Amino acid sequence: MDLKTEVSELKGIGPKKARAFRDAGIVTLSDLMEFFPRRYEDRRTVTPISSARAGAECLVVAKVAAKRSPRGYYRKNSPLTLIVSDGTGSLEIVFFNGRFLSGLFDEKSEYAFFGKVSENHAMRQMIHPQFAKAGSADDVRGIVPIYPQIPGISQREIRRLQAELVPLYSELEEWIPEKTVREQRLASPEYAIKNTHFPEDGHRMLAGKFRLVFGELFTMETGLMYLRAGDETGGKGVSFSCEAGDRFAAGLPFELTKGQQAAWKSIREDLESDKRMNRLLQGDVGSGKTVIAEMAMLSAASCGLQSVMMAPTELLATQHFDSFTKDLSGWKKPDGRPVSIALLKSSLTAKEKRTVYGSLESGETDILLCTHAVLEEKVKFRDLGLVITDEQHRFGVRQRRILSEKGENVNILVMTATPIPRTLAVIVYGDLDVSQIREMPAGRKPVKTTLARSEDRDKVYDFVEGQLIKGRQAYIVAPLIEESEKIDASSAEEIFRLVSKRFPSYRVEMVHGAMRPQEKDAIMQRFASGETDILVSTVVIEVGINVPNASVMVIENTERFGLAQLHQLRGRVGRGTDESYCFLILDQESEVAVKRAEIMCRTTDGFEIAEEDLALRGPGELFGTRQHGLPQLMISDLSRHRDILEKAAASAKELLADDPGLKKPENLPLKERIRSMFGENISLDL
Ligand code: ADP
Ligand code: MG
């Protein structure tokens, strides 16, 4: 047995449990070891009932003095109330809908109860405490780790398995360079892991946790900084006049919004000064980022410099090419020649590609719209001054870097519609400047959003019917139950059957992740052309889909979606000038789910939503971190560990200043660690 052994080889782990672990991302014993507790319960001391104060979380050990549940016939939802006493006083234990638990408690037997004490009409209570027969295997004492839920696996089992791993702790090796370990006074990996799963006291637990969080963030920061090397701000950049961009804006059939004007002002200042621009432009889809990019690219062309904009799909690149060609026809450079625009994508023939390559190298092409096809080594520019990445979260850090290295000291603009909180932006993009476009062009109405419960579903569907009668279309989004595509599909199928039955005279189609791409495209196409009235889908509705006639979106099992995901889904409606609607159906209420839904109802501002998301979520779960090229974090919580993050970033910077290529022997374990952390997410040429 070693760290690479699979969990399925442990005693008591059959195929079903192994699958549950795999779904939670745990395959090897090393993964299991890095499956960290979510929180701890302090069950070291037994509190006498007489001193159990309301508001405190405590462990009491007491005998059942009386059991109460409504008499008579069996009622499924009736509560169970116990009066327990330990000689110093008595306490009421309440389980709502808990009648079925009644048989687990014998009067006169002793039980351990752990929970928060509350007060009700001068009677102290514990509502839904954890319990175990005193002295039984479930009656654990000490600082008890509570792990994230894995369906079908109990806390007790996870604790048992963690105990089996203890002999492997001595295999853990240090990967953080000695200097950093010393400076930050880091505990060893062995100490840290041990005191995370089996903390002896609060002090050791914190020292261990600091080490783990620091280690994770330091590894991430070193990886990201390594990848970003060379695109820091501050250096000298190519500068050029943006007067042509101003003239272009003046000729537009609309006024720039305030956000667009502010973004342009900053970009213009960057480009006209000899500072190298390194800027992130954020704004929801449709907020008008492309126009700003166009103004900058036209300015470069007018000053005899080349510029390039890379988009994630051929469709987007082609759309950009078509609209630029139309918008810029008739624009002449100072030498009297027209601005020349080219398109480069993988599907061009070899001959077409050669023509584009030639025109870029000779400097004949001023503006290039392209996909990642531009990253090929053969593509060379004569005089590149500006590099733009559209929807940049779809690209890796390395791809952005290859593009910017096509020129010397080129100005860099990255654009994204995926909101990212400022604190995260700094981590992912380094010291770049941020511009945000927070409002939509005039005339677009924010989507009216309503929170609904499952009991309201009929009313929601009646409303949907009202929209269909007006000739509009609807999206109904089914939940993603598990990562597994199959299960995902079956839950969508259930909703699909329900909806088909409810709307017999309308055309309903379903699309889900397990379908082949051609099949998906055909269904999307039918919805886009209006052949289909209702589209039931899982979250596969692509960012690119644009159906202005769709005016209502119903999201089922809203509690299963993260905020940023809800925001992106809702962005599918509200594309036209008419009012549109979004219903968030909550099937299971939890505090967080209700909070998220309320935030969605309150605002349509993606940045506000992203900030709230960061505040609501815990480690590793942050939606969008992966989209922005961040690795999955096992223990760190970017919203809570900002101070440790700063320390980790400073140490990483120092290390890379000393060894930019991570080539020194003492840094090899760190390099290996970075490689496994980023995995296939980002290809590292370390
Ligand atoms: P983004 O790239 O941010 O998704 P686009 O630049 O594609 O958005 O803009 C979406 C549409 O809105 C385009 O048709 C564009 O011409 C138009 N548009 C951009 N800015 C404005 C504005 N200030 N007023 C009205 N329409 C605008
Ligand atoms: Mg765009």
Side-chain angles (χ1 to χ4, degrees):
M1 187 165 100
D2 63 28
L3 290 170
K4 293 202 179 75
T5 305
E6 300 213 345
V7 172
S8 56
E9 290 177 41
L10 292 176
K11 233 188 280 156
I13 305 298
K16 213 166 151 192
K17 285 184 178 167
R19 215 201 103 123
F21 273 117
R22 202 174 51 236
D23 287 347
I26 299 167
V27 178
T28 65
L29 298 189
S30 164
D31 298 334
L32 183 59
M33 204 180 275
E34 295 203 347
F35 182 63
F36 295 119
R38 193 160 41 85
R39 61 189 179 88
Y40 297 88
E41 286 172 358
D42 187 351
R43 294 192 220 164
R44 281 177 296 182
T45 46
V46 176
T47 307
I49 291 177
S50 58
S51 49
R53 277 178 301 109
E57 224 181 28
C58 54
L59 175 71
V60 304
V61 176
K63 283 193 177 140
V64 175
K67 273 205 276 194
R68 266 191 265 131
S69 55
R71 287 214 199 136
Y73 58 92
Y74 175 77
R75 275 198 299 160
K76 211 170 95 196
N77 297 330
S78 55
L80 169 69
T81 306
L82 307 174
I83 306 295
V84 303
S85 131
D86 68 352
T88 71
S90 55
L91 187 67
E92 196 173 59
I93 306 278
V94 183
F95 298 97
F96 297 116
N97 312 335
R99 196 188 140 126
F100 68 98
L101 293 172
S102 180
L104 294 177
F105 296 99
D106 301 327
E107 280 180 44
K108 304 284 180 288
S109 289
E110 202 172 44
Y111 297 86
F113 296 96
F114 182 85
K116 196 167 171 178
V117 180
S118 53
E119 203 155 345
N120 184 22
H121 300 298
M123 180 69 189
R124 275 168 309 154
Q125 296 182 318
M126 256 190 207
I127 298 179
H128 287 237
Q130 301 190 44
F131 60 91
K133 200 157 193 165
S136 71
D138 285 326
D139 179 14
V140 264
R141 302 288 169 90
I143 300 178
V144 180
I146 307 295
Y147 292 89
Q149 298 273 351
I150 300 181
I153 314 236
S154 69
Q155 290 289 325
R156 188 170 144 203
E157 183 144 32
I158 295 174
R159 287 197 286 266
R160 176 181 72 78
L161 293 171
Q162 292 293 358
E164 283 190 35
L165 302 186
V166 173
L168 295 180
Y169 289 174
S170 57
E171 279 185 36
L172 294 168
E173 281 168 24
E174 183 59 87
W175 75 91
I176 301 179
E178 201 197 314
K179 183 167 175 281
T180 311
V181 169
R182 226 178 326 110
E183 281 171 1
Q184 301 293 333
R185 299 161 187 270
L186 299 177
S188 70
E190 186 178 347
Y191 179 100
I193 292 277
K194 174 168 180 302
N195 283 291
T196 301
H197 293 297
F198 304 99
E200 274 174 50
D201 58 44
H203 179 74
R204 285 172 216 229
M205 186 198 87
L206 287 177
K209 181 148 188 199
F210 177 80
R211 147 77 213 203
L212 294 176
V213 172
F214 184 92
E216 187 169 67
L217 294 176
F218 173 73
T219 308
M220 176 183 83
E221 279 295 321
T222 313
L224 288 169
M225 285 183 192
Y226 171 83
L227 286 163
R228 278 201 309 260
D231 66 34
E232 300 300 318
T233 40
K236 285 216 167 182
V238 184
S239 68
F240 53 86
S241 156
C242 288
E243 180 271 331
D246 279 341
R247 268 192 291 131
F248 177 78
L252 285 171
F254 48 76
E255 288 254 318
L256 293 183
T257 61
K258 277 210 189 81
Q260 284 173 313
Q261 285 173 19
W264 173 242
K265 183 165 176 278
S266 309
I267 289 170
R268 182 188 172 132
E269 275 167 18
D270 288 352
L271 294 176
E272 292 190 337
S273 74
D274 61 2
K275 171 180 172 255
R276 179 186 190 187
M277 176 164 79
N278 194 17
R279 185 171 289 278
L280 171 68
L281 176 58
Q282 300 182 282
D284 276 331
V285 174
S287 62
K289 298 182 293 296
T290 315
V291 191
I292 304 297
E294 203 168 0
M295 287 159 65
M297 293 177 93
L298 175 64
S299 302
S302 302
C303 299
L305 290 166
Q306 291 174 301
S307 61
V308 53
M309 176 150 76
M310 175 168 76
T313 64
E314 297 218 339
L315 188 73
L316 276 174
T318 310
Q319 262 175 22
H320 286 152
F321 176 76
D322 292 342
S323 66
F324 275 46
T325 305
K326 202 169 98 226
D327 295 350
L328 301 181
S329 76
W331 275 86
K332 294 214 166 40
K333 295 186 281 181
D335 63 9
R337 294 192 0 224
V339 171
S340 154
I341 307 171
L343 173 66
L344 177 60
K345 50 182 183 175
S346 309
S347 64
L348 295 184
T349 64
K351 193 171 156 224
E352 287 167 327
K353 278 186 199 161
R354 271 198 304 277
T355 310
V356 178
Y357 295 163
S359 76
L360 290 171
E361 205 161 352
S362 70
E364 188 192 323
T365 291
D366 300 300
I367 293 178
L368 179 70
L369 288 317
C370 60
T371 60
H372 60 273
V374 73
L375 300 177
E376 285 193 34
E377 214 173 311
K378 280 172 278 186
V379 182
K380 295 198 175 71
F381 292 83
R382 200 190 67 160
D383 219 345
L384 189 60
L386 171 66
V387 159
I388 301 178
T389 316
D390 190 23
E391 302 299 347
Q392 80 71 37
H393 63 272
R394 307 272 288 270
F395 296 100
V397 186
R398 181 161 163 264
Q399 288 169 310
R400 258 190 286 138
R401 181 170 149 198
I402 294 175
L403 183 59
S404 63
E405 282 173 356
K406 298 261 175 202
E408 227 171 285
N409 302 328
V410 293
N411 293 289
I412 298 167
L413 180 66
V414 293
M415 306 200 295
T416 183
T418 302
I420 178 173
R422 209 170 263 266
T423 39
L424 274 188
V426 174
I427 301 168
V428 187
Y429 303 107
D431 308 322
L432 47 52
D433 302 311
V434 180
S435 291
Q436 297 181 335
I437 304 180
R438 292 181 82 135
E439 76 267 70
M440 286 293 186
R444 270 177 245 168
K445 297 197 179 99
V447 181
K448 273 204 176 126
T449 307
T450 312
L451 173 59
R453 320 276 154 168
S454 39
E455 311 85 90
D456 308 326
R457 191 174 278 110
D458 287 342
K459 274 189 253 157
V460 171
Y461 283 1
D462 290 346
F463 185 92
V464 169
E465 185 158 29
Q467 292 289 304
L468 297 176
I469 289 168
K470 287 188 191 155
R472 311 306 297 265
Q473 290 161 280
Y475 292 103
I476 296 180
V477 179
L480 186 83
I481 301 268
E482 278 188 23
E483 302 278 10
S484 152
E485 298 281 19
K486 264 199 201 112
I487 295 181
D488 178 15
S490 77
S491 82
E493 256 154 28
E494 212 180 294
I495 304 261
F496 174 67
R497 272 194 298 274
L498 192 86
V499 171
S500 305
K501 222 165 107 195
R502 170 65 184 78
F503 297 100
S505 52
Y506 291 95
R507 289 150 302 184
V508 185
E509 283 209 87
M510 169 172 64
V511 61
H512 58 73
M515 287 175 165
R516 282 178 299 117
Q518 298 99 303
E519 210 178 340
K520 271 193 253 185
D521 282 354
I523 294 171
M524 295 287 203
Q525 203 52 54
R526 281 196 290 276
F527 187 65
S529 67
E531 272 174 67
T532 313
D533 302 297
I534 302 177
L535 185 65
V536 175
S537 97
T538 54
V539 281
V540 295
I541 314 176
E542 270 292 327
V543 180
I545 187 168
N546 186 14
V547 184
N549 189 48
S551 63
V552 54
M553 165 162 293
V554 179
I555 300 181
E556 297 279 350
N557 285 87
T558 297
E559 67 277 3
R560 297 202 186 262
F561 297 102
L563 266 180
Q565 216 170 2
L566 291 173
H567 176 63
Q568 293 210 322
L569 284 171
R570 182 171 60 182
R572 306 294 133 245
V573 292
R575 297 302 185 91
T577 43
D578 292 325
E579 189 65 75
S580 38
Y581 307 87
C582 176
F583 292 93
L584 303 173
I585 300 186
L586 275 182
D587 293 70
Q588 267 167 34
E589 286 190 28
S590 73
E591 210 181 315
V592 177
V594 173
K595 252 193 210 145
R596 279 195 205 125
E598 282 169 359
I599 293 164
M600 289 296 294
C601 294
R602 187 182 78 218
T603 179
T604 54
D605 180 340
F607 300 104
E608 191 176 338
I609 292 172
E611 294 288 352
E612 296 277 8
D613 193 43
L614 187 62
L616 275 182
R617 282 168 166 258
E621 303 171 324
L622 202 67
F623 182 84
T625 48
R626 286 205 173 209
Q627 290 192 347
H628 283 282
L630 281 184
Q632 167 107 25
L633 297 174
M634 300 309 295
I635 193 161
S636 313
D637 178 342
L638 293 172
S639 64
R640 272 169 215 113
H641 296 142
R642 289 181 198 187
D643 49 339
I644 305 182
L645 180 69
E646 270 168 36
K647 287 186 187 150
S651 297
K653 205 166 179 172
E654 207 175 296
L655 179 95
L656 285 171
D658 174 55
D659 182 14
L662 295 178
K663 294 217 163 67
K664 294 191 175 173
E666 65 266 31
N667 294 331
L668 292 182
L670 171 62
K671 194 160 156 177
E672 195 42 53
R673 195 80 187 188
I674 293 173
R675 198 181 277 139
S676 76
M677 180 184 232
F678 283 83
E680 298 133 22
N681 237 357
I682 293 177
S683 41
L684 282 170
D685 46 12
L686 278 172

